[in-house]
Amino acid sequence: IERTLSIIKPDATNRNLTGKINAKFEDAGLRIVAQKRIHLTPAQAGQFYEVHKERPFYGELCEFMASAPVVVQVLEGEGAIAKNREVMGATNPAQADEGTIRADFALSVGENSVHGSDAPETAAQEIAYFFSGLELVG
Ligand code: GTP
Ligand code: MG
């Protein structure tokens, strides 16, 4: 059974959308096996998004991710990585399918409400960045 890292981003925690977002995950058959609310420092956000450090929006992205609390969580299910990305919708909410989290809630390509790991290797790395094995309760 697969696990993926999800982050409910500051634009969504600011608007009290964590429950509505979690309902979409659970309705899709994803189980929340770990979850915590944290406030990242800019340095922690920068380390998490290190793969994007050459992209022009890196500074803006790290500043945004540290601007308010986030909810980091581990989702578990059959094909959890792909299923989560399906429920999230396209990065740019203007291109996201109807009923997806980003179509319903995202404000812009940057403030797009959620993050989800994109492959098994990154999922394992990202989960280990935020959680110890003891915190994952399947
Ligand atoms: P994640 O699940 O968050 O990784 O989204 P993604 O895989 O759909 O997008 P990608 O990995 O390409 O980009 C990571 C994050 O950077 C996005 O979710 C956005 O928050 C942000 N981002 C991407 N493109 C832009 C952009 O053009 N401008 C800004 N400000 N942010 C961007
Ligand atoms: Mg990505």
Side-chain angles (χ1 to χ4, degrees), residues 86-108:
E86 216 175 281
V87 176
M88 285 169 30
T91 309
N92 182 346
Q95 278 143 31
D97 290 341
E98 206 179 314
T100 61
I101 292 167
R102 284 165 169 167
D104 285 0
F105 304 128
L107 301 175
S108 66

Side-chain angles (χ1 to χ4, degrees), residues 8 17-32 35 73 75 87 99 101 104-105 114:
I8 302 178
L17 292 171
T18 63
K20 284 182 176 147
I21 289 171
N22 279 347
K24 286 192 189 276
F25 292 142
E26 294 187 334
D27 288 349
L30 291 164
R31 184 180 300 276
I32 301 163
Q35 175 166 262
Q73 48 193 188
L75 307 179
V87 176
I101 292 167
D104 285 0
F105 304 128
V114 280

Side-chain angles (χ1 to χ4, degrees), residues 34-112:
Q35 175 166 262
K36 58 190 170 191
R37 181 175 169 97
I38 59 177
H39 195 144
L40 292 169
T41 64
Q44 289 167 335
Q47 194 180 346
F48 179 75
Y49 278 117
E50 189 127 48
V51 290
H52 294 313
K53 69 172 179 290
E54 305 304 334
R55 313 262 292 264
F57 55 81
Y58 178 70
E60 200 182 321
L61 173 61
C62 296
E63 193 182 321
F64 165 62
M65 291 299 288
S67 67
V70 297
V71 174
V72 293
Q73 48 193 188
V74 179
L75 307 179
E76 180 183 272
E78 295 297 337
I81 296 168
K83 188 176 285 183
N84 178 39
R85 292 184 70 85
E86 216 175 281
V87 176
M88 285 169 30
T91 309
N92 182 346
Q95 278 143 31
D97 290 341
E98 206 179 314
T100 61
I101 292 167
R102 284 165 169 167
D104 285 0
F105 304 128
L107 301 175
S108 66
V109 66
E111 302 199 14
N112 60 0

Side-chain angles (χ1 to χ4, degrees), residues 99-138:
T100 61
I101 292 167
R102 284 165 169 167
D104 285 0
F105 304 128
L107 301 175
S108 66
V109 66
E111 302 199 14
N112 60 0
S113 303
V114 280
H115 163 84
S117 307
D118 58 14
E121 305 71 43
T122 47
Q125 273 171 25
E126 292 177 2
I127 290 169
Y129 186 71
F130 289 113
F131 293 98
S132 78
L134 282 174
E135 293 177 299
L136 309 177
V137 184

